[in-house]
Amino acid sequence: MRDVISILDFSKSEVLELFELTDEVLSGKFKPRLEGKIVATAFFEPSTRTALSFTSAALSAGAKVLGFSSDEATSVSKGENLADTIRMLENYADCIVMRHKLDGSAKFAAEIAKKPVINAGDGKREHPTQALIDMYTVRKLFGTMEGLTFGFLGDLRYARTVNSMLRILTMFRPRMVYLISPPQLRARAEILEELNYPVKELTDVRDIIGELDVLYVTRIQRERFLDEDEYEKVKESYRLEYRTVEKMKRDSAILHPLPRVSEIDRRIDSMPQAKYFLEASYAVPLRSALLHEVMAGD
Ligand code: CP
């Protein structure tokens, strides 16, 4: 394995193998060994979880980490372009973990770099390692990833984590996927065209809440709106309420890639369905296993 640009760079069997390796990392049966390797974390957009969990994963495997968390501290602020920045980073590191606001930037970087590039989020396009964490959580909770009923609630137009999740689900034959959003934030047609499972679009999660095994919530991606007025129109257009979750099956799960803003009532955090912090806790073992797969064979 080299670059990780889209979740569809993985076959189903590669996903399952990665999850088995993650199980072994979590249980302590396997410890990734990346001594002598250097990971570059190139974050042109803000991040807490992705940047720091990749850093923690790399450090705990014995690798060294360098990088930046904003382009303001780099020569991009002097006008250097992405291509030249990538050419420099591959002189300094064995693997580049990159987040950038431009759709397609990860693929562009991978075409330039001879070293592996891992997409940590490219614009509104994809966030493949987040989808791996999300599906790993589903597998841990349900013991299967097949035949489940999913609901995706929120900004389905701009949330890259949703695109990667909808794509990974093409490997696992969900029973039904409900896409729940205000009309302005519906999933984009080019994603819907790829899906090989039953999908229904609706606007009110309460209509199907009792059917769901997994409810995946996203915040409104304010940073993707070109027009602030458009954001103002939709910013409070959905919210998951305590009373709605009371109607969920007790063994169902609410996931969220985080960060959350106001789209989940905080009282839900203590309900049995709230699994988003558990989900976040799998980031380091999963990204440790992934870094091992990407770099250990070099
Ligand atoms: N889930 C996620 O990508 O979070 P960060 O933006 O904090 O990395």
Side-chain angles (χ1 to χ4, degrees):
M1 192 186 296
R2 302 292 296 183
D3 303 313
V4 177
I5 306 305
S6 165
I7 194 65
L8 297 179
D9 292 339
F10 294 84
S11 65
K12 181 176 177 178
S13 61
E14 285 170 337
V15 170
L16 297 176
E17 276 171 32
L18 182 67
F19 287 178
E20 281 166 21
L21 192 62
T22 305
D23 287 340
E24 293 187 13
V25 174
L26 254 182
S27 68
K29 201 170 151 195
F30 175 72
K31 185 161 171 43
R33 304 299 297 258
L34 294 171
E35 283 92 357
K37 300 289 185 190
I38 299 176
V39 175
T41 55
F43 278 70
F44 297 86
E45 276 197 329
S47 168
T48 297
R49 277 147 291 274
T50 313
L52 297 181
S53 61
F54 264 114
T55 300
S56 176
L59 292 174
S60 62
K64 292 190 167 58
V65 181
L66 53 80
F68 51 87
S69 55
S70 155
D71 57 14
E72 284 164 26
T74 73
S75 288
V76 172
S77 65
K78 302 177 209 161
E80 186 163 48
N81 64 30
L82 178 59
D84 289 356
T85 305
I86 295 299
R87 286 185 186 105
M88 296 309 108
L89 289 178
E90 73 165 341
N91 290 329
Y92 312 145
D94 300 292
C95 171
I96 301 167
V97 179
M98 188 182 94
R99 172 173 291 185
H100 198 284
K101 68 180 178 186
L102 289 179
D103 293 3
S105 50
K107 185 165 185 288
F108 176 74
E111 283 165 3
I112 290 166
K114 292 179 196 70
K115 305 278 176 63
V117 172
I118 299 178
N119 182 5
D122 64 324
K124 62 182 182 308
R125 189 166 282 191
E126 277 225 41
H127 192 347
T129 66
Q130 181 64 47
L132 291 167
I133 294 162
D134 302 336
M135 281 309 283
Y136 182 76
T137 308
V138 170
R139 174 179 168 276
K140 290 289 273 186
L141 291 172
F142 294 91
T144 181
M145 295 176 281
E146 311 268 349
L148 299 172
T149 297
F150 288 79
F152 289 84
L153 170 64
D155 180 353
L156 311 184
R157 181 174 178 76
Y158 295 118
R160 56 196 173 200
T161 61
V162 171
N163 292 342
S164 293
M165 270 297 274
L166 292 175
R167 285 181 167 138
I168 197 173
L169 282 176
T170 61
M171 302 175 196
F172 296 106
R173 292 178 299 180
R175 186 163 178 266
M176 172 60 77
V177 172
Y178 292 106
L179 301 177
I180 312 135
S181 70
Q184 303 94 318
L185 299 178
R186 286 173 60 189
R188 294 195 308 282
E190 70 262 27
I191 303 293
L192 296 180
E193 282 162 13
E194 293 178 22
L195 308 181
N196 60 359
Y197 46 76
V199 173
K200 278 192 192 153
E201 294 185 274
L202 60 154
T203 55
D204 193 337
V205 69
R206 290 172 297 185
D207 293 343
I208 44 82
I209 193 74
E211 284 182 47
L212 300 177
D213 297 304
V214 178
L215 177 60
Y216 189 99
V217 187
T218 64
R219 73 184 167 93
I220 294 192
Q221 312 286 303
R222 181 176 188 169
E223 64 275 27
R224 305 275 168 247
F225 283 75
L226 298 175
D227 181 343
E228 185 69 13
D229 289 344
E230 291 304 310
Y231 166 72
E232 287 295 324
K233 280 184 209 159
V234 292
K235 71 176 183 188
E236 284 167 6
S237 53
Y238 63 90
R239 179 176 156 87
L240 187 62
E241 300 292 354
Y242 189 90
R243 279 189 192 162
T244 308
V245 178
E246 282 182 321
K247 297 193 176 79
M248 290 183 81
K249 292 188 273 191
R250 205 171 161 75
D251 60 354
S252 61
I254 302 167
L255 302 184
H256 191 310
L258 304 176
R260 67 161 160 189
V261 188
S262 56
E263 63 280 0
I264 294 183
D265 182 333
R266 272 153 213 262
R267 290 174 301 164
I268 293 169
D269 294 359
S270 56
M271 297 176 85
Q273 293 90 347
K275 301 297 185 194
Y276 26 91
F277 293 120
L278 175 72
E279 176 189 3
S281 76
Y282 293 136
V284 172
L286 188 131
R287 287 180 169 133
S288 298
L290 181 68
L291 287 174
H292 171 85
E293 292 287 300
V294 168
M295 283 196 294
D298 280 1

